[in-house]
Amino acid sequence: MAILGLAMAAFILAAEAIAMASAASLVTFVFGDSLTEVGNNKYLQYSLARSDYPWYGIDFPGGKATGRFTNGRTIGDMISEKLGIPSPPPYLSLSKYDDALLTGVNYASGGAGILNETGLYFIQRLSFYDQIDCFKKTKESIKAKIGEVAANKLCNEAMYFIGLGRHALTCECSNDYVNNYLQPFLADGQQYTSDEFVELLISTLGKQLSMLYHLGARKVVFHGLGPLGCIPSQRVKSKTGQCLKRVNEYVLEFNSRVKKLIATLNRRFPRAKLTFADTYGDVLDLIDYPTAYGFKISNTSCCNVDTTIGGLCLQNSKLCSNRKDYVFWDAFHPSDAANAVLAEKFFSTLFSGPPSVAPKPSP
């Protein structure tokens, strides 16, 4: 399940003063994996990528699991709090007639990736292609509510966050590595060299971002991968418990290629404002120097997980005594406290342009 994808790519935000003043009118659409999910997978009956059970949510308001893959809030929740708006609800919790569609939706799904085959062993999850299809349906519903012209305007001015990645440091595509290419029993790791695999990811991602553009997305932030080789699920593969250098090299190559792709798409689509959010260094610094941020442990997780059966925090798992001491909650995902540190960093990166206004449904 996604992890460090701390992702959630920095929202494409306007200046803080403008954003705060117009917070009530911000429209945001969120795509991603378990790092940005807020509960879609709990509506998928057969999905194995779920977190709607204890101990997930123990530090979330109300103390109950909501489908977020952490002990508390996601980075997206925290940024929404700063803007004074509620986090966009999970797509699968809404009907096509719901007025909530006008103010933003979260399509993120644990186990998702750029490639359709990523996370296949979770049985059910919404791949990035699936999420784009859900957004297409959302736009049709919005058209039915406020008309085509207003719907196009809303979608053109909305903010799009793509945080497909595992763990607070990455993007959805982290699953393409962690739950696909790096798994010895799956075909892609045997079929492609690392260079061929990153080429497959980039070419597929280019098609997907183009699809979003043609559906109306203009202001898009794509969150890059963090140091996947340093998350607990990967460290356990090292005899010394250190970061896996080879995995981090894959990540750096992927990020480099995505930056070039974003630049190409911005030239191809003059009205596009695609941004690549590179937080690799920030996340690595948090992991390498946890005490500088008020943490004590960054090489293992607060929840004592069994990485041989997935690495998630199960109901019979033993928790650490102080959850605020740990950067990681489970083998993949950051803790609420770590998300707070990262959200602060992301929020400080502001983007120009006024937020879109959420229209009222037609009477």
Side-chain angles (χ1 to χ4, degrees), residues 277-326:
D278 189 354
T279 55
Y280 183 97
D282 286 339
V283 178
L284 185 60
D285 195 61
L286 176 60
I287 293 174
D288 284 346
Y289 307 103
T291 57
Y293 298 91
F295 297 93
K296 294 181 179 179
I297 301 171
S298 62
N299 62 345
T300 188
S301 60
C302 168
C303 184
N304 187 9
V305 301
D306 185 348
T307 56
T308 63
I309 56 172
L312 292 181
C313 188
L314 304 178
Q315 297 182 56
N316 61 351
S317 299
K318 183 179 179 180
L319 302 186
C320 60
S321 58
N322 188 347
R323 296 185 286 278
K324 292 185 178 180
D325 287 343
Y326 287 73

Side-chain angles (χ1 to χ4, degrees), residues 28-81:
T28 60
F29 295 107
V30 181
F31 302 80
D33 57 15
S34 60
L35 190 280
T36 48
E37 187 187 341
V38 294
N40 276 310
N41 282 14
K42 69 181 181 181
Y43 296 96
L44 299 176
Q45 182 179 359
Y46 302 109
S47 178
L48 299 181
R50 297 174 63 151
S51 59
D52 54 335
Y53 56 83
W55 299 105
Y56 289 98
I58 188 172
D59 295 311
F60 191 79
K64 294 183 179 180
T66 61
R68 290 166 170 80
F69 287 80
T70 182
N71 58 307
R73 301 158 297 166
T74 67
I75 292 177
D77 291 327
M78 295 174 183
I79 292 180
S80 292
E81 289 173 16

Side-chain angles (χ1 to χ4, degrees), residues 223-349:
H223 201 87
L225 286 171
L228 285 178
C230 297
I231 67 177
S233 71
Q234 296 301 299
R235 279 182 184 265
V236 296
K237 300 176 183 180
S238 166
K239 294 181 179 179
T240 60
Q242 301 301 306
C243 298
L244 298 185
K245 181 179 178 182
R246 177 175 60 95
V247 174
N248 283 344
E249 288 173 347
Y250 291 160
V251 167
L252 291 171
E253 175 62 20
F254 174 83
N255 285 348
S256 175
R257 293 291 302 277
V258 174
K259 290 178 186 177
K260 295 177 182 177
L261 172 65
I262 294 295
T264 298
L265 293 177
N266 279 327
R267 289 192 297 269
R268 182 184 305 169
F269 303 125
R271 289 182 294 166
K273 296 179 181 177
L274 281 68
T275 302
F276 178 76
D278 189 354
T279 55
Y280 183 97
D282 286 339
V283 178
L284 185 60
D285 195 61
L286 176 60
I287 293 174
D288 284 346
Y289 307 103
T291 57
Y293 298 91
F295 297 93
K296 294 181 179 179
I297 301 171
S298 62
N299 62 345
T300 188
S301 60
C302 168
C303 184
N304 187 9
V305 301
D306 185 348
T307 56
T308 63
I309 56 172
L312 292 181
C313 188
L314 304 178
Q315 297 182 56
N316 61 351
S317 299
K318 183 179 179 180
L319 302 186
C320 60
S321 58
N322 188 347
R323 296 185 286 278
K324 292 185 178 180
D325 287 343
Y326 287 73
V327 170
F328 288 93
W329 166 245
D330 60 21
F332 307 105
H333 308 95
S335 64
D336 178 274
N339 279 339
V341 171
L342 292 164
E344 196 65 44
K345 286 180 175 289
F346 297 155
F347 195 75
S348 66
T349 303

Side-chain angles (χ1 to χ4, degrees), residues 14-23 25-26 83 351-355:
E16 181 174 358
I18 297 176
M20 295 302 284
S22 307
S25 63
L26 280 175
L83 293 173
F351 296 82
S352 62

Side-chain angles (χ1 to χ4, degrees), residues 164-218:
L164 301 149
R166 196 176 259 277
H167 163 231
L169 342 169
T170 70
C171 77
E172 174 172 335
C173 36
S174 62
N175 276 320
D176 289 296
Y177 281 98
V178 176
N179 286 314
N180 186 351
Y181 190 69
L182 297 176
Q183 296 292 351
F185 53 87
L186 295 180
D188 282 358
Q190 312 299 320
Q191 182 177 354
Y192 302 106
T193 65
S194 60
D195 289 341
E196 291 170 340
F197 188 67
V198 75
E199 182 61 39
L200 174 63
L201 290 179
I202 296 302
S203 62
T204 305
L205 179 60
K207 295 174 185 176
Q208 293 164 332
L209 293 178
S210 296
M211 290 171 65
L212 276 177
Y213 179 84
H214 291 302
L215 287 171
R218 297 294 180 265

Side-chain angles (χ1 to χ4, degrees), residues 86-227:
S87 290
Y91 172 77
L92 294 180
S93 71
L94 306 172
S95 76
K96 65 179 181 179
Y97 307 107
D98 205 312
D99 287 345
L101 296 172
L102 297 172
T103 57
V105 181
N106 186 311
Y107 305 95
S109 173
I114 292 173
L115 305 179
N116 279 334
E117 60 264 34
T118 291
L120 205 58
Y121 49 63
F122 293 128
I123 311 301
Q124 283 184 300
R125 73 271 179 258
L126 300 175
S127 70
F128 194 17
Y129 272 122
D130 292 331
Q131 293 176 38
I132 293 171
D133 187 57
C134 290
F135 172 67
K136 182 178 180 180
K137 294 176 182 176
T138 296
K139 185 174 182 181
E140 290 302 316
S141 294
I142 292 175
K143 281 184 183 179
K145 284 180 173 292
I146 62 176
E148 184 172 3
V149 172
N152 287 337
K153 184 175 187 294
L154 182 152
C155 292
N156 287 167
E157 297 180 352
M159 301 175 188
Y160 296 78
F161 309 93
I162 303 176
L164 301 149
R166 196 176 259 277
H167 163 231
L169 342 169
T170 70
C171 77
E172 174 172 335
C173 36
S174 62
N175 276 320
D176 289 296
Y177 281 98
V178 176
N179 286 314
N180 186 351
Y181 190 69
L182 297 176
Q183 296 292 351
F185 53 87
L186 295 180
D188 282 358
Q190 312 299 320
Q191 182 177 354
Y192 302 106
T193 65
S194 60
D195 289 341
E196 291 170 340
F197 188 67
V198 75
E199 182 61 39
L200 174 63
L201 290 179
I202 296 302
S203 62
T204 305
L205 179 60
K207 295 174 185 176
Q208 293 164 332
L209 293 178
S210 296
M211 290 171 65
L212 276 177
Y213 179 84
H214 291 302
L215 287 171
R218 297 294 180 265
K219 306 175 198 174
V220 180
V221 176
F222 185 90
H223 201 87
L225 286 171

